[in-house]
Amino acid sequence: MKWRTYPDDVLPLWVAEMDVPLAEPIVRAVTDALALGDTGYPAGTGYAEALAAFADKRWGWDGLAVERTAIVPDVMLGVVEMLKLVTGPGDPVVVNSPVYPPFYQFVEHMDRQVVEAPLGADLRIDLDTLDETFRRAVTGTRRAAFLLCSPHNPTGTVHTAEELSAVAALADRHGVRVVADEIHAPLTAEGVEFVPYLSVPGGEDGLSLMSASKAWNLAGLKAALAIAGPAAAADLARLPEEVSHGPSHLGVIAHTAALRDGTAWLDALLTGLDDNRRLLANLLAEHLPTITYRPGEATYLAWLDCHALDEDPADVFLRRGRVALNSGLPFGTGGAGHVRLNLATSPELIAEGVRRMAAALG
């Protein structure tokens, strides 16, 4: 999709796919399965066990209980199923805008109401705004949920333990259920620690979605896990059995191999992403000083403030520079005047992208 959506003269720096060779343990695991003819339905708890071991070693979280997990087709479809468990038609779902556009699309399609609690000027959760938004969301007899993006897409913000504990306290006070999209959790910058929402005090009744998809570039091999906190186990137990029919068996095999045997590959990737964040910051400062960029603490996405332009900057850069970026408009309130750039590519292509962007404004 990344390389085939636009004409050949357009440099694609948009959709969340990485330009990387696949980790060898994943290739081996999938190839071995194909050689055996192992292309049936997924079964067992190997994926959950691999994620639990990864979470313990990587984040010091030993609270991921395999018995409180369920396999789902992918993170966003898992989000939909979790929201069905804790809300009903017409109920509000709070999001921190600007945020991943499918949050709006999927939530509205399932007949829930998106309610924005915009991030603060520092691109972090504004707890006062969230408090007031929760209060309004539960007015009357409605149930409400908070769809938390952690780490945050598109800003790359990694929420701290203190911030997440405060979120949990607000959710408890107002009777709001938290569903956390934690798909970018393994992709933190050097020196930054990811904190699972279910690990913080008060997060016991939360629901989380995790996957190896983004960190190991497995978007085409779909599989994810829904995880319940101890107080949400009964909710997860109500998940319809047919939901487990959606994930790809080869996807489960690939994700399991990534989590078990792909950490050396991941560490090398993270080093490259750190280098690319620094490179992008330096190139923008030199060639496009009117664009503001705060390097994110996670993900491989860069959120660029281009308010110096009068038009949608993504349109300008595509038409005049032949470089494809994500427009900030679909990310909701706070997205106007921004673009999202995918920096998970070679340094040469990042440099070429900035050159084209500068030429578009020249």
Side-chain angles (χ1 to χ4, degrees):
M1 180 180 181
K2 178 181 179 182
W3 286 93
R4 295 174 183 172
T5 297
Y6 292 96
D8 290 343
D9 67 328
V10 172
L11 175 62
L13 296 177
W14 63 297
V15 73
E17 298 177 22
M18 296 191 286
D19 299 333
V20 291
L22 206 60
E24 193 277 333
I26 298 172
V27 175
R28 184 172 65 250
V30 173
T31 302
D32 287 350
L34 291 173
L36 288 170
D38 185 8
T39 54
Y41 297 103
T45 58
Y47 188 2
E49 292 165 7
L51 179 57
F54 179 87
D56 188 9
K57 184 175 182 179
R58 203 80 176 184
W59 307 318
W61 180 37
D62 62 2
L64 199 165
V66 171
E67 64 271 19
R68 293 198 307 272
T69 66
I71 189 169
V72 292
D74 59 28
V75 164
M76 278 312 304
L77 291 176
V79 163
V80 167
E81 295 298 335
M82 297 305 103
L83 289 175
K84 286 179 180 177
L85 296 175
V86 298
T87 64
D91 284 339
V93 176
V94 177
V95 302
N96 295 132
S97 60
V99 73
Y100 183 50
F103 277 19
Y104 295 90
Q105 299 159 354
F106 279 77
V107 169
E108 291 170 355
H109 183 71
M110 63 181 293
D111 193 25
R112 269 60 167 177
Q113 175 191 0
V114 176
V115 179
E116 294 183 326
L119 298 173
D122 58 356
L123 303 182
R124 306 198 74 86
I125 295 174
D126 185 323
L127 293 170
D128 290 336
T129 297
L130 192 64
D131 188 9
E132 173 59 21
T133 306
F134 281 178
R135 185 193 65 77
R136 288 188 285 106
V138 297
T139 300
T141 59
R142 296 183 301 179
R143 294 187 292 173
F146 174 39
L147 181 48
L148 171 68
C149 193
S150 178
H152 195 85
N153 176 2
T155 64
T157 303
V158 175
H159 312 303
T160 66
E162 292 75 18
E163 288 170 327
L164 294 174
S165 296
V167 166
L170 290 176
D172 179 66
R173 181 190 309 165
H174 294 286
V176 173
R177 297 298 299 277
V178 178
V179 176
D181 172 355
E182 297 180 314
I183 195 170
H184 288 279
L187 292 167
T188 52
E190 184 179 6
V192 178
E193 181 179 354
F194 168 74
V195 179
Y197 177 76
L198 301 186
S199 73
V200 304
E204 294 83 5
D205 69 346
L207 295 159
S208 167
L209 286 306
M210 289 188 173
S211 170
S213 174
K214 294 304 178 193
W216 282 272
N217 208 37
L218 301 174
L221 288 168
K222 288 186 176 294
L225 286 167
I227 309 158
D235 294 307
L236 190 62
R238 292 187 286 107
L239 187 69
E241 190 269 341
E242 62 266 21
V243 174
S244 68
H245 297 177
S248 159
H249 177 43
L250 291 178
V252 171
I253 289 172
H255 290 231
T256 303
L259 292 160
R260 283 183 176 163
D261 303 314
T263 53
W265 182 95
L266 175 64
D267 288 339
L269 172 77
L270 295 179
T271 296
L273 294 179
D274 284 337
D275 291 342
N276 281 359
R277 290 187 192 97
R278 287 188 289 269
L279 172 64
L280 179 62
N282 291 336
L283 289 171
L284 291 173
E286 180 179 356
H287 300 288
L288 288 165
T290 60
I291 292 179
T292 301
Y293 168 50
R294 301 179 186 180
E297 300 168 305
T299 82
Y300 47 80
L301 306 167
W303 188 236
L304 309 183
D305 185 340
C306 310
H307 271 101
L309 300 182
D310 295 330
E311 308 172 62
D312 178 14
D315 183 60
V316 172
F317 293 133
L318 180 59
R319 284 189 294 106
R320 300 180 191 169
R322 308 306 286 163
V323 57
L325 308 169
N326 288 98
S327 169
L329 295 173
F331 291 80
T333 299
H338 290 76
V339 295
R340 193 189 73 176
L341 181 149
N342 179 349
L343 51 77
T345 188
S346 69
E348 293 78 12
L349 289 184
I350 291 175
E352 174 63 12
V354 172
R355 186 196 68 75
R356 293 187 183 204
M357 291 165 67
L361 302 187

